[in-house]
Amino acid sequence: MEFLADVNASGALARWLLDHGHDVLRVADVDPRMEDSNILQWAWREHRIIITTDQDFEELIWREKSQHEGILRLENLPRVERLSLLDYVLNHHSQDLASGAVIIASSRKIRIRKP
């Protein structure tokens, strides 16, 4: 899968994705202060799923009807727990992500909003 890692997604998370065969670009490598609307446009242009801990993307999508390729918002957990949650989501919900869903993953539950 192709991802765009938001600034708040750790470098460890991006490395984990790369180590597992995914294509990952990091917003922090281009402009750590990039606005969320520009991140959404970038991800849409390059057909990338945004991975973040920030709920602002959902507001842009629902309120402003911004186009997107999919969003994975992970609960802001300690690194090991966040990586475990990411692994779980990719193993059980990658097809939803690939279809453009917004997935909100916490340690207690996974919410999926399909396009």
Side-chain angles (χ1 to χ4, degrees):
M1 298 181 93
E2 294 182 343
F3 290 97
L4 180 57
D6 191 16
V7 172
N8 57 34
S10 71
L13 187 137
R15 282 188 300 280
W16 186 93
L17 286 166
L18 287 167
D19 290 346
H20 286 83
H22 299 283
D23 182 339
V24 182
L25 296 179
R26 293 176 21 148
V27 173
D29 293 338
V30 174
D31 179 0
R33 295 184 178 164
M34 187 180 293
E35 293 184 22
D36 290 343
S37 59
N38 292 335
I39 294 170
L40 266 172
Q41 290 171 3
W42 178 12
W44 173 252
R45 241 185 353 263
E46 295 193 14
H47 307 287
R48 293 182 177 277
I49 298 163
I50 295 173
I51 188 161
T52 187
T53 62
D54 182 359
Q55 63 187 350
D56 292 342
F57 290 104
E58 296 151 58
E59 291 178 26
L60 284 169
I61 290 167
W62 307 131
R63 184 172 30 97
E64 297 181 18
K65 308 231 185 298
S66 298
Q67 296 177 314
H68 65 92
E69 287 291 317
I71 308 285
L72 172 54
R73 178 168 55 94
L74 297 170
E75 181 178 2
N76 194 7
L77 298 166
R79 181 184 307 160
V80 172
E81 293 174 53
R82 196 176 334 158
L83 289 173
S84 177
L85 185 57
L86 173 61
D87 186 45
Y88 178 85
V89 169
L90 292 179
N91 282 320
H92 294 89
H93 302 287
S94 60
Q95 194 167 17
D96 292 315
L97 274 176
S99 71
V102 174
I103 297 181
I104 299 124
S106 74
S107 55
R108 289 187 217 115
K109 89 176 161 178
I110 308 289
R111 288 185 297 162
I112 302 169
R113 296 180 180 168
K114 297 186 179 187

